[in-house]
Amino acid sequence: MTVWDDLVGQEPAVAVLQKAVSGASAVVRGESGAAVVGMTHAWLITGPPGSGRSNAGRAFAAALQCHQDGCGECKDCQTVLTGAHPDVSLIRTELLSIRVSEIRELVRRAAMSPTQGRWQVMVIEDADRLTEQAADALLKSIEEPAPRTVWVLCAPTVEDVVPTIRSRCRLLVLRTPPVNAVAQMLVAKLGIDADLAGFAARAAQGHIGRARALARDEEVRARRSKVLEVPFALRDLGACLKAAQQLVEAAKEEAKASAEKVDEKERAALEQALGVGTKGAKPREANAALKELEDQQKARAKRWERDVLDRSLVDLMALYRDVLVLQTKAGTELINAELTRQIEALGARTTPESTVRRLGAITACREAIETNVAPLLALEAMTIGLFEG
């Protein structure tokens, strides 16, 4: 076992990071010329959703601290991977953006020397969510880092990071993991049946976290099946509006269920920290702190709802992609092979040109939701486009 084991299908990227770690170890040992072997102070790791950007950032941080360059077994590796290492800061957000106050605190820590480890490593898992002010606050620290500080930024694409930041980072691009590699991982690590693992890997389209959920949770598979019923139910305008409403309601319910699991724990922990419910006067700042927590939880629920909707739209795009594959006789493996008969029937009623228009309608819906168009309006426009396309 090493820290790189969770980077499924990313052998080229792992080789780059391992070379950098070797260079970093040489720097620590004080070897001359060590800096030329691939190590640099700022990295930007990009890749499609589910490719393992965050895993790569954590694995790199662990390997930098490890005296064996990422053995996966030592205390340094384990504490980094669990988020407990004092010299590794893992920053991610469940909100819509990373605030400037969070980055200023990170910059302050980055200026310090390592307390126990070999490097001070700052991993920002959602660098695409930096506000403009947060990016400005980060820039100087990346331009003029402390001697033993390494920045690792993660984002879907290089264009998602402001030019002033990305131009100062070394770019590492992850690929979409091959379906076979994901399936093998599900069988080897989770003991999933080979047929179910193959289905989950195909349906997840290279998204490792999604593949795990599909393989392990029957409810997740059932929700996906419900989404894939939409194209076959669009018989008139009323059916289009109903389908859009059902997609929104399903996303809200799923996001609410996820939020309820963490909201109560967060509120209870904050109330305990503030002394709410204990004897004596309630702290003056308690109401303000609780209100701020509620606002953050609402923002997080909104993001989770968007994420659920986007996942549903990706599944719909995969279905129409399969239709187009059959219509054009491309010979490529179907993502939804279990629905081959239904996909053949859908393709027989339309043309490749109309399928391309339907794919465009889904893409437009994803973009509209990303730019804060009301989800119901965006989905109504999409389902009508699917019906008329």
Side-chain angles (χ1 to χ4, degrees):
M1 175 186 172
T2 71
V3 297
W4 313 108
D5 289 351
D6 284 338
L7 297 181
V8 179
Q10 304 295 347
E11 290 80 8
V14 169
V16 171
L17 293 175
Q18 287 177 323
K19 184 177 180 180
V21 170
S22 296
S25 294
V27 170
V28 170
R29 292 192 297 267
E31 296 178 11
S32 61
V36 302
V37 296
M39 185 57 190
T40 186
H41 72 281
W43 295 75
L44 174 57
I45 302 176
T46 67
S51 58
R53 298 186 305 264
S54 299
N55 286 343
R58 286 194 294 269
F60 187 36
L64 287 172
Q65 303 293 12
C66 176
H67 291 268
Q68 300 178 63
D69 295 353
C71 67
E73 303 288 347
C74 68
K75 180 181 178 182
D76 284 320
C77 286
Q78 291 298 314
T79 53
V80 172
L81 295 177
T82 58
H85 198 287
D87 295 320
V88 176
S89 299
L90 301 171
I91 304 299
R92 69 184 305 272
T93 183
E94 292 174 332
L95 307 179
L96 298 177
S97 62
I98 298 177
R99 297 171 297 178
V100 66
S101 58
E102 297 175 83
I103 294 301
R104 284 173 179 158
E105 172 60 22
L106 196 63
V107 167
R108 185 189 66 80
R109 292 205 299 270
M112 300 178 181
S113 298
T115 58
Q116 295 181 18
R118 307 196 298 174
W119 298 87
Q120 185 79 256
V121 188
M122 328 304 289
V123 182
I124 303 179
E125 297 186 4
D126 302 288
D128 54 310
R129 297 185 182 272
L130 289 168
T131 64
E132 186 176 346
Q133 294 85 354
D136 289 342
L138 176 61
L139 180 58
K140 185 172 178 60
S141 186
I142 287 185
E143 282 182 323
E144 301 174 9
R148 287 291 180 86
T149 295
V150 178
W151 288 93
V152 183
L153 281 58
C154 307
T157 70
V158 66
E159 289 79 14
D160 291 320
V161 179
V162 297
T164 51
I165 297 292
R166 70 191 190 218
S167 64
R168 290 161 173 81
C169 299
R170 179 176 178 183
L171 178 63
L172 181 68
V173 180
L174 303 186
R175 62 182 180 177
T176 299
V179 169
N180 288 343
V182 177
Q184 290 170 9
M185 179 274 294
L186 293 174
V187 172
K189 291 196 171 183
L190 303 181
I192 303 298
D193 173 78
D195 289 339
L196 178 56
F199 157 78
R202 277 188 291 104
Q205 303 175 63
H207 192 301
I208 296 172
R210 177 72 167 157
R212 285 195 179 103
L214 285 166
R216 293 193 288 195
D217 195 331
E218 188 174 348
E219 286 188 15
V220 174
R221 298 195 292 273
R223 285 196 294 266
R224 180 178 180 275
S225 296
K226 197 74 175 175
V227 170
L228 295 181
E229 292 174 4
V230 168
F232 307 102
L234 303 178
R235 299 182 180 86
D236 52 39
L237 180 60
C240 293
L241 301 179
K242 181 180 179 181
Q245 182 68 44
Q246 289 175 338
L247 286 171
V248 171
E249 289 177 353
K252 287 182 177 179
E253 289 176 8
E254 185 175 343
K256 182 180 178 182
S258 299
E260 286 177 347
K261 294 177 182 179
V262 295
D263 285 0
E264 282 191 27
K265 290 182 180 179
E266 288 178 342
R267 185 179 180 90
L270 180 59
E271 287 180 341
Q272 182 178 10
L274 294 170
V276 176
T278 58
K279 292 182 179 180
K282 188 177 184 180
R284 190 183 311 174
E285 68 275 12
N287 288 336
L290 290 170
K291 177 65 167 58
E292 182 180 3
L293 175 63
E294 289 173 3
D295 291 342
Q296 291 178 359
Q297 290 175 340
K298 288 178 182 177
R300 179 175 60 198
K302 183 179 179 181
R303 177 184 169 183
W304 283 356
E305 183 182 334
R306 284 184 179 182
D307 289 346
V308 172
L309 283 174
D310 192 66
R311 190 170 64 231
S312 298
L313 296 176
V314 169
D315 288 335
L316 287 175
M317 290 190 78
L319 182 72
Y320 282 105
R321 172 263 189 199
D322 287 346
V323 172
L324 192 61
V325 165
L326 294 181
Q327 288 175 327
T328 59
K329 297 181 173 57
T332 307
E333 183 182 11
L334 299 185
I335 293 171
N336 300 283
E338 70 281 359
L339 299 176
T340 299
R341 291 180 60 185
Q342 296 96 311
I343 292 170
E344 288 175 340
L346 189 60
R349 298 197 301 267
T350 60
T351 65
E353 291 78 12
S354 64
T355 302
V356 170
R357 287 195 294 272
R358 289 181 170 96
L359 285 166
I362 300 173
T363 300
C365 181
R366 294 181 71 189
E367 292 173 350
I369 292 175
E370 187 65 27
T371 55
N372 285 323
V373 173
L376 182 59
L377 292 177
L379 285 163
E380 287 175 346
M382 181 199 73
T383 53
I384 293 171
L386 297 179
F387 174 63
E388 296 178 344

